[in-house]
Amino acid sequence: MSKPIVAIVGRPNVGKSTLFNALAGQNISIVKDTPGVTRDRIYADVNWLNHGFTMIDTGGIEPESKDIILSQMREQAQIAIDTADVIIFITDVRQGLVDADAKVADMLRRSGKPVVLAVNKVDNFDKLLMDVYEFYNLGIGEPFPISASSKLGLGDMLDEVVRHFEEEEEEEEEDDIPRVAIVGKPNVGKSSIINKLLGQSRVIVSDIAGTTRDAIDTNIMWQGREYIFIDTAGLRRKNKIKEELERYSIIRTVTAVDRADVVIVVIDAVEGITEQDAKIAGIAHERGKGIIIAVNKWDAVEKNDKTIYKYTSKVREFLSYMPYAELMFISAETGQRLPKLFDTIDMVLENQTLRIQTGVLNEIMAEAIALQQPPSDKGKRLKLYYITQVSVKPPTFVIFVNDKELMHFSYTRYLENKIREAFGFRGTSLKFIIRERKEKE
């Protein structure tokens, strides 16, 4: 089940970022040791009651003139309509109802997506209530008075947001068809890969009706097994500012990755791996997905006997935080190694859902400890009591120790390598949760 996506839309200076930060709190999705993961926080994971969702900030550029503001807002509203399950439309009680608000509200209303209307900067509920009522005129339902900077009224607004998820969840039934997202920068050949796969598997394509986001889902049958490919292509607006395009493609990547089991990160062989590729791969890594790095247009690279080694080490160096990712060299143009893609997807899926018995895990851990003593600090030594696997997708392990502080990142990494030596787990990240147990227990 993928997390719902909530997007924030509103004019400049009404408090979009303040609201974003208030909701994201400390729980901000920037991973410290992942190089290349976006620093400008476009998205964050938020939990409210029992619901987790991904919040995206569609904002970005703050233009001067009124017409540009409106066209920018339309653009942002369009991103929100395309990608979000629920839209928070934020307005400003001090500026009152503005023409641009009404125009964007029309657009949101016509989209049929659930919209929660938030009226910000209401620092005094009693005094400003009449001013809040004015926003009923937008015709998109009840206005929720909030103050993002003082964190007032956010609970009622979030209750309304998650109410819309529950309606959606009832409609979505879970199926067992593997979902594969094809992501990457514009023009690396994402669509050509899908088209070629379709050609080779000669299946009737059904673009599944009712997919809410504008990533196109395609069903492909391969040797009797069905797969759903999620394609994030379609970013072809030449006149857009580069930053904005990047922001848009990152938002769409996040939404596609969230829905997938396995992510294929496509890299252009001719251009070589770039920062933007590392950012995109970082999103899949952060989200604990199965990952295949597919170097496309391999037919167009001049080769000698060293080329593939040089290229491999370059990619590995760039993505040093995910050594587990599978690496493939393909060509959508000639179809080179595309059939092997399905074998690789199957292998990664199997690893994503692999469960290992507790007894076996503890044997491996005991052996690892015997080979390399756990670290100690000021005379206190780390003790590891017990390890068990608690979930899959990605495989997640809990390790019970005497003192969390002593469990260094590097020792966790060492144990991870030992587990990988035994079981492979190729193509999937592993997650470790460290819990403390007091000596007495």
Side-chain angles (χ1 to χ4, degrees), residues 360-381:
V360 181
L361 278 172
N362 283 287
E363 275 168 37
I364 290 173
M365 187 167 85
E367 225 166 90
I369 292 171
L371 283 171
Q372 188 178 327
Q373 278 286 308
S376 61
D377 187 32
K378 299 191 184 75
K380 188 174 185 189
R381 186 169 290 288

Side-chain angles (χ1 to χ4, degrees), residues 78-182:
Q78 198 52 58
I79 295 178
I81 289 166
D82 290 346
T83 52
D85 297 298
V86 180
I87 298 162
I88 295 177
F89 181 33
I90 178 168
T91 56
D92 179 345
V93 76
R94 293 185 200 154
Q95 296 174 20
L97 196 47
V98 191
D99 192 34
D101 290 333
K103 291 201 164 92
V104 171
D106 284 343
M107 213 175 131
L108 295 173
R109 189 172 53 238
R110 282 198 299 273
S111 76
K113 285 276 174 94
V115 180
V116 176
L117 174 58
V119 183
N120 193 20
K121 305 189 185 172
V122 182
D123 302 320
N124 181 326
F125 279 44
D126 302 336
K127 257 200 205 131
L128 295 168
L129 211 52
M130 289 319 285
D131 298 338
V132 171
Y133 287 149
E134 179 194 3
F135 287 88
Y136 270 109
N137 294 326
L138 287 174
I140 48 176
E142 179 188 348
F144 285 84
I146 64 165
S147 165
S149 58
S150 319
K151 300 192 177 165
L152 298 171
L154 300 185
D156 291 348
M157 179 193 76
L158 287 172
D159 286 345
E160 181 63 17
V161 168
V162 301
R163 202 174 59 73
H164 292 294
F165 300 158
E166 286 160 0
E167 291 166 15
E168 285 230 340
E169 278 164 19
E170 284 161 22
E171 291 165 29
E172 253 187 66
E173 74 289 354
E174 196 59 28
D175 50 30
D176 298 332
I177 307 172
R179 290 166 194 276
V180 182
I182 296 207

Side-chain angles (χ1 to χ4, degrees), residues 11-26:
R11 279 181 299 113
N13 306 323
V14 292
K16 288 196 294 286
S17 309
T18 316
L19 178 62
F20 184 85
N21 294 337
L23 296 179
Q26 294 315 300

